[in-house]
Amino acid sequence: MRKIAKWGVALLVLLAALTGAYIAWLYWRMPVNTEEIEAPAPPPVQPPPPVSKPETAHPLVAEEAPVVANTTVESSDDLFTRFVISLFGGSQLPDFVFPDRMLRRFVATVDNLPRKELAARIRPVKPAPGMFMADKQGDILSIAPQNEARYEHYVNALESIDVPAMVKFYASHYALFQKAYQELGYAGNFNDRLFEAIDDLLATPKAQAPVMLVQPKVMYRFADPDMENRSAGQKIMLRMGADNSTRVKTVLTKVRAELKRYDTKH
């Protein structure tokens, strides 16, 4: 939303400048005394330079599915529910997936992952079961090895996904993803942001166990400032443990490669 605020301020400044120029132009056109003095012609008002759109890094072109034209972001839950069910090969929606606002949740989460914080209310999947586990040896805190087990269900599900089918669905329904992205107030091309999020996750460093923690108040934090200052997505990868993180990166690498097949600059 900060981008929108800045854009709004810029627009107001531009309108004020144009209004001022127009008033000045009227003033100079009005003679003080038509019999004695004729006001000089005003300098031509230069139109503002056209606002250039940022170049799309990953333009995506795919044959649009016929259903897209008749589906709105608001009415897309049924479409995405059916697809997610088929993606995981079950007869009902997986228990860890939120059944409402699925498209908006996905789009907003993708945008938030490379940022510092990920809003819990927009997540498309439910939190990992159980409590976060930490080892405590005197005053020394670290992530407990058994904490990795909390994420295995998610990683197993991720590895079961038919990546080509998932990316094909995304490409053929891309207009809906882009529309949801714009309706949430984001600027630019959603596919670019998706690549940014994937690349940020893939850049997560492999942390050597034990991963040290601090607990200044209620919440745990990484003791290493470099880890604590990383993006929300990278911190999730670090919390799930090195093995799970490696498995997730393997799937993400496949997704990225499949996405490149629809990239017109590839």
Side-chain angles (χ1 to χ4, degrees), residues 173-194:
H173 295 78
Y174 180 69
L176 280 173
F177 288 87
Q178 179 65 25
K179 189 173 183 180
Y181 193 58
Q182 292 173 335
E183 285 185 4
L184 288 172
Y186 299 117
N189 181 47
F190 176 70
N191 199 50
D192 284 355
R193 191 58 173 170
L194 179 59

Side-chain angles (χ1 to χ4, degrees), residues 60-71 79-80 82-83 167-177 262:
L60 185 148
V61 176
E63 184 177 349
E64 188 175 282
V67 71
V68 172
N70 300 317
T71 304
L79 169 67
F80 279 84
R82 293 197 306 270
F83 173 68
V167 175
K168 182 179 180 180
F169 176 89
Y170 167 74
S172 59
H173 295 78
Y174 180 69
L176 280 173
F177 288 87
Y262 296 89

Side-chain angles (χ1 to χ4, degrees), residues 9-20:
V9 171
L11 178 60
L12 290 174
V13 171
L14 175 61
L15 289 175
L18 291 176
T19 302

